Structures are given as structure tokens and as C-alpha cells.
């Protein structure tokens, strides 16, 4: 069935024209899809009954990905198995209160407050907030605040599986099945927002493109999903981060985008020799070239490039590696997110020792590089970084809440 969700305003305009409808009808469909996040054509109550019926008889549906399984962690994280129209599934993760990795020593709190101010102004301008009487928001508290959370982060997938073959990552074991469409990528967000009754403009939602897949190997659909999420759903691009394993041509295109998320690069090693072992894709694109491309990003206020660094016990977590990382990133407006490797079945690495993690972080900070340790989220339900995998057989902890 053809899907409405994922269509741009101009595509909807064409569609409505083909139905002999006025252009403002397209706007109504667009608002229903992205602002109201309706789940069916029937729910598009701004359209006439006749038009809704016509859409349905011609086979049109909204077609948001369906949450078919849910696992909830003790830390509040929820992991969803999302089914697309063709039956393929990916995973999406909901992390109330943020992903923690950003906070580290708490220094980002002030930045967040400032960003919140800007968001609020933008939200009013864009008309996301209910206005009453004097035009002030009806309530400054959203659904998250009512539940006691300050914010939430949604981690979304960009492909079914992944072709990149990083040696420490569970998703790599799947291989690549197919790319997701822009509608399927943004649709994961809409489905999760609906599940939690999130009110954009009041609730603070961050997005990370860090689920299954390599976004820069599905570049056009990924970037189209960003535009749908910004212009349609209403999440500011400054609250989005995309992580890449280092697809150089992708980074080079990304540098030229007007509307784009923040960039995170999975560095994961301090030199090409080690990186090639843990990320064979390094044979194709070396660290120096990747850093050079990152340096060309026109950074906005309050923006820096994040370098993710998965610490693998004995492999890349020693003092000489920390010194090399400092040398690599010297002079860059950057920060480092250390990720303690999350184990998975059939993957032959060991976790770093806690004292090695602490020493690594201290050496980087002492060397002048802001460095955070990303708090593992939802490890008990295999929702943590690099643990997303479609099969359920190896996951006895899975709690099915939707059945
Ligand atoms: N494909 C993109 C985004 C998804 S992976 C990328 O690789 O950047 C998101 C992050 O999780 C990456 O930084 C990756 O290095 C990290 N990661 C992968 N497997 C992991 C594991 N088992 N433990 C901890 N982090 C992992
Ligand atoms: Fe793919 Fe990222 Fe996993 Fe590498 S770490 S295999 S790029 S998902």
C-alpha cells in the first residue's frame, strides 16, 4: 500500500492535485501527518469524509512503523522492535532523561538551559504551542515533565542491518538487508512520540541516529528524514546527532548541508593499524582524511564534533592510545565520548578494566580535551550501543509488554 507518512509537502500537493483538490488540502494532510501524528487516514478529521474515503479506497494509508515488541530496562530505557510495511524489522530505543553521556561532569547543563530558551522561542514562532488569550503557552510543562523527566532521547535506525562489519558490533553480524526510507526513519520517531504522548514544543526530545545501520550509506533517505523531522515533526536540528563509522564521501556531502544534525564520528582507535583491526573499513578511509573532512564542518554556536571511542579491553585503552588520541584531535573543536564496550554473544573482546577507563578519561581531560563516559543504557535488555540485533532468541530478558 502506498504510504502517506514520509511524503513532503510538495509531493502531497501533487497528490491532492491529482485528486482535483485545492493545494490547501495538501497542507492539511501534512499537518495531520507530522504535527498531529495521526495513525490513520480516518483520523485526518480536517479532511472531508469523502476525501478520506477516496484516499482509503485508492489504497493510501499513513503507515507508521508498528511497535511489535517492547522491552523495558530497570533504568527506564525501552527498546522497541519496529515492523515496516514489508515485514522487515529494526530497533528503536527510548531513553528518558537523556543518554547521560552528554552530561558527564555536568558542564553541559548550562548549555542545555540556553538551548532550551532558543527552542521555546522557536516553538512559539512556529506555532507549536497552544495559544490562549494573551498568546502564552497553555502550560509550560509537557508530558515528560509530568512524569518527572527533564528530557528524553530517541535512538533510531537507518538501515535494516549494517554492511560495515565493525568487529565489536552486534549489528554487523546481521549483514545488510536493505535501506530504510525517509518515512521509515522519521516514522520510528513518530511512533515513539505517540506511544509516550509527547508534545513537541513542551517536551525536550533529542534524537540520535545511532541505532542499526550506517546513516551515511543511506545518505539521501537519512537527510530527507532529517528534513521531515525538523520541518514536519518540529524537532530542532540542534537536538539531533548523527553518528558515522567514517564514510568519507558522506561526511564530505554532510559538510555542505544547510540543515543538518550535529556530527559524531566513531573514531574507536588512536591509529590506523588498530582501527583497521577493529573497523576494517579503515582500509578504505584513513583517520587523517576523516579528521580533515570533520574539520571542514562549519560549526554553529554551541556545536562541536563528537568523537566516539569504544574502549576495548587491552586493545585501544592504554596510555599510549590516549596520548595518540590527544595528538589526533589537537586544536579541534571536539569532545570525546568514551563508550565502555558492551559485550554480545559471539564477539571476542573483553571489557576494559574500570581503572583503565578512568585513566584514559583523565589523560584526555588533562590534555585539554572535554571527555565524557557514556552511561550504558538498557544493557539488561540489549538496548545499549552496538547491541541492537533483530533476533529475540538470544535475549531471555525480553519482556513482551505489547502482547
Ligand atoms: N553506524 C554508526 C551508528 C551506529 S553505532 C556508527 O558506527 O557510528 C553507534 C555507536 O555504538 C558507534 O560509536 C559504535 O562504535 C558504537 N558501538 C558499536 N558496538 C558497540 C558495542 N558492542 N559496545 C559499545 N559501543 C558500540
Ligand atoms: Fe555498522 Fe555502526 Fe555497528 Fe559499525 S558500529 S557495524 S557502522 S552499526
Amino acid at each position: 500500500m502506498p504510504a502517506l507518512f514520509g511524503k513532503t509537502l510538495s509531493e502531497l500537493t501533487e497528490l491532492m492535485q491529482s485528486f482535483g483538490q485545492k493545494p490547501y488540502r495538501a497542507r492539511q494532510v501534512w499537518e495531520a501527518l507530522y504535527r498531529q501524528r495521526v495513525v490513520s487516514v480516518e483520523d485526518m478529521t480536517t479532511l472531508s469524509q469523502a476525501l478520506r474515503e477516496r484516499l482509503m479506497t485508492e489504497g493510501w494509508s499513513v503507515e507508521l512503523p508498528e511497535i511489535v515488541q517492547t522491552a523495558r530496562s530497570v533504568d527506564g530505557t525501552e527498546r522497541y522492535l519496529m515492523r515496516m510495511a514489508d515485514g522487515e524489522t529494526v530497533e528503536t530505543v527510548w531513553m528518558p532523561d537523556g543518554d547521560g553521556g552528554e552530561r558527564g561532569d555536568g558542564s553541559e547543563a548550562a548549555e542545555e538551559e540556553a538551548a532550551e530558551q532558543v527552542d521555546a522561542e522557536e516553538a512559539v514562532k512556529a506555532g507549536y504551542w497552544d495559544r490562549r488569550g494573551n498568546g502564552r503557552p497553555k502550560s509550560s510543562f509537557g508530558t515528560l515533565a509530568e512524569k518527572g523527566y527533564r528530557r528524553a532521547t530517541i535512538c533510531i535506525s537507518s538501515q535494516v542491518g549494517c554492511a560495515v562489519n565493525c568487529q565489536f558490533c552486534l549489528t554487523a553480524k546481521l549483514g545488510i538487508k536493505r535501506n530504510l526510507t525517509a518515512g521509515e526513519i522519521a516514522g520510528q520517531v513518530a511512533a515513539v512520540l505517540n506511544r509516550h504522548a509527547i508534545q513537541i514544543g513542551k517536551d525536550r526530545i533529542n534524537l540520535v541516529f545511532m541505532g542499526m545501520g550506517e546513516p551515511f550509506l543511506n545518505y539521501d533517505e537519512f537527510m530527507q528524514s532529517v528534513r521531515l523531522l525538523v520541518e514536519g515533526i518540529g524537532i530542532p536540528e540542534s537536538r539531533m546527532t548523527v553518528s558515522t563509522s567514517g564514510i568519507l564521501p558522506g561526511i564530505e556531502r554532510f559538510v555542505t548541508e544547510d540543515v543538518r544534525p550535529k556530527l559524531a564520528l566513531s573514531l574507536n582507535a588512536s591509529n590506523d593499524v588498530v582501527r583497521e583491526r577493529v573497523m576494517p573499513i579503515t582500509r578504505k578511509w584513513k583517520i587523517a582524511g576523516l579528521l580533515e573532512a570533520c574539520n571542514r564542518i562549519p560549526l554553529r554556536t554551541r556545536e562541536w564534533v563528537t568523537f566516539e571511542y569504544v574502549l576495548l579491553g587491552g586493545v585501544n585503552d592504554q596510555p599510549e592510545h590516549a596520548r595518540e588520541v590527544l595528538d589526533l584531535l589537537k586544536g579541534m573543536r571536539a569532545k570525546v565520548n568514551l563508550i565502555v564496550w558492551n559485550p554480545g554473544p559471539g564477539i571476542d573482546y573483553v571489557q576494559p578494566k574500570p581503572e583503565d577507563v578512568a585513566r584514559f578519561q583523565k589523560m584526555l581531560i588533562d590534555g585539554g580535551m572535554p571527555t565524557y563516559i557514556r552511561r550504558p543504557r538498557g544493557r539488561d535488555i540489549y538496548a545499549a550501543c552496538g547491541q541492537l540485533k533483530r533476533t529475540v532468541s538470544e535475549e531471555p530478558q525480553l519482556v513482551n509488554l505489547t502482547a
Side-chain angles (χ1 to χ4, degrees):
M1 271 206 291
L4 289 171
F5 194 95
K7 293 220 169 294
T8 60
L9 186 56
S10 65
E11 288 167 337
L12 291 172
T13 308
E14 257 173 56
L15 181 67
M16 286 296 119
Q17 264 163 3
S18 75
F19 278 36
Q21 298 284 330
K22 296 248 167 62
Y24 78 91
R25 287 289 177 205
R27 184 87 204 172
Q28 288 177 326
V29 175
W30 189 87
E31 300 230 331
L33 288 171
Y34 304 115
R35 295 293 163 90
Q36 296 159 36
R37 306 191 306 257
V38 300
V39 297
S40 71
V41 172
E42 257 160 274
D43 291 342
M44 298 185 171
T45 48
T46 47
L47 305 185
S48 70
Q49 188 61 34
L51 179 53
R52 278 182 273 171
E53 265 161 31
R54 169 125 190 248
L55 278 165
M56 287 185 288
T57 35
E58 297 206 7
W60 289 96
S61 65
V62 173
E63 223 163 79
L64 284 182
E66 190 190 351
I67 298 179
V68 289
Q69 220 161 24
T70 305
R72 185 181 293 151
S73 164
V74 287
D75 66 18
T77 300
E78 290 186 359
R79 179 169 62 104
Y80 312 111
L81 191 68
M82 297 246 177
R83 188 168 59 205
M84 307 297 149
D86 67 349
E88 289 291 355
T89 52
V90 296
E91 294 190 338
T92 308
V93 183
W94 163 259
M95 294 170 281
D97 223 352
D99 66 7
E102 301 292 308
R103 283 179 298 176
D105 61 6
S107 64
E108 200 162 314
E111 308 261 8
E112 288 263 334
E113 298 299 323
E116 196 174 7
Q117 281 300 318
V118 177
D119 286 355
E121 284 160 23
E122 282 169 4
V124 168
K125 257 191 268 154
Y128 293 119
W129 277 356
D130 287 329
R131 288 162 185 272
R132 265 197 189 166
N134 58 7
R136 296 199 63 80
K138 190 165 68 177
S139 153
S140 54
F141 301 108
T143 311
L144 277 176
E146 280 160 19
K147 291 182 182 166
Y149 294 120
R150 279 182 53 73
R151 60 188 172 141
T153 301
I154 304 173
C155 176
I156 48 189
S157 293
S158 54
Q159 297 180 307
V160 183
C162 187
V164 180
N165 196 27
C166 303
Q167 299 295 296
F168 47 82
C169 172
L170 212 48
T171 305
K173 304 245 167 204
L174 286 174
I176 176 83
K177 286 291 277 290
R178 71 164 171 87
N179 282 334
L180 294 181
T181 63
E184 289 170 332
I185 300 172
Q188 295 166 59
V189 177
V192 175
L193 295 177
N194 284 348
R195 177 184 167 83
H196 294 276
I198 293 304
Q199 303 165 63
I200 296 299
K202 295 182 190 172
D203 290 312
R204 277 204 295 156
I205 299 296
N206 296 320
L207 297 183
V208 294
F209 295 83
M210 298 188 184
M212 292 166 59
E214 168 49 58
F216 284 6
L217 288 181
N218 183 18
Y219 190 88
D220 292 327
E221 297 295 320
F222 149 68
M223 277 308 298
Q224 181 59 19
S225 80
V226 168
R227 289 184 283 269
L228 291 173
L229 288 161
V230 173
E231 293 157 20
I233 304 277
I235 300 175
E237 68 206 86
S238 59
R239 300 210 151 269
M240 302 179 187
T241 303
V242 59
S243 172
T244 179
S245 57
I247 309 298
L248 185 60
I251 302 174
E252 284 170 340
R253 281 182 76 182
F254 191 71
V255 165
T256 66
E257 300 284 355
D258 292 333
V259 175
R260 57 159 181 83
K262 294 187 276 192
L263 183 70
L265 183 89
S266 297
L267 183 60
N268 295 346
S270 56
N271 61 59
D272 286 327
V273 176
V274 178
R275 194 168 192 271
E276 202 168 305
R277 259 192 297 160
V278 299
M279 300 179 75
I281 193 156
T282 310
R283 265 178 239 142
K284 202 152 181 187
W285 295 298
K286 305 274 178 259
I287 295 174
L290 297 175
L291 295 183
E292 194 271 324
C294 289
N295 263 326
R296 275 189 277 137
I297 295 189
L299 294 174
R300 300 164 287 218
T301 357
R302 289 196 302 271
E303 188 184 357
W304 47 79
V305 178
T306 299
F307 291 92
E308 295 155 292
Y309 195 98
V310 179
L311 289 163
L312 303 161
V315 174
N316 64 359
D317 62 346
Q318 295 305 301
E320 68 262 29
H321 304 123
R323 276 189 288 274
E324 280 181 324
V325 169
L326 277 173
D327 269 351
L328 286 175
L329 305 183
K330 209 168 29 202
M332 287 185 77
R333 205 155 109 202
K335 65 172 181 155
V336 173
N337 260 2
L338 299 175
I339 313 173
V340 174
W341 177 68
N342 292 306
I347 306 187
D348 253 356
Y349 286 105
V350 293
Q351 290 200 285
K353 297 193 190 93
E355 59 270 27
D356 287 350
V357 175
R359 179 178 57 190
F360 203 94
Q361 181 187 28
K362 183 169 187 307
M363 283 183 68
L364 291 192
I365 291 174
D366 289 349
M369 183 56 55
T371 305
Y372 306 88
I373 298 175
R374 188 181 291 173
R375 179 164 53 112
R377 295 293 306 251
R379 214 186 246 175
D380 54 335
I381 54 162
Y382 275 81
C385 295
Q387 294 192 312
L388 300 182
K389 194 184 173 192
R390 228 159 20 95
T391 52
V392 290
S393 54
E394 288 150 350
E395 303 161 19
Q397 306 92 331
L398 196 78
V399 191
N400 194 337
L401 301 173
T402 48

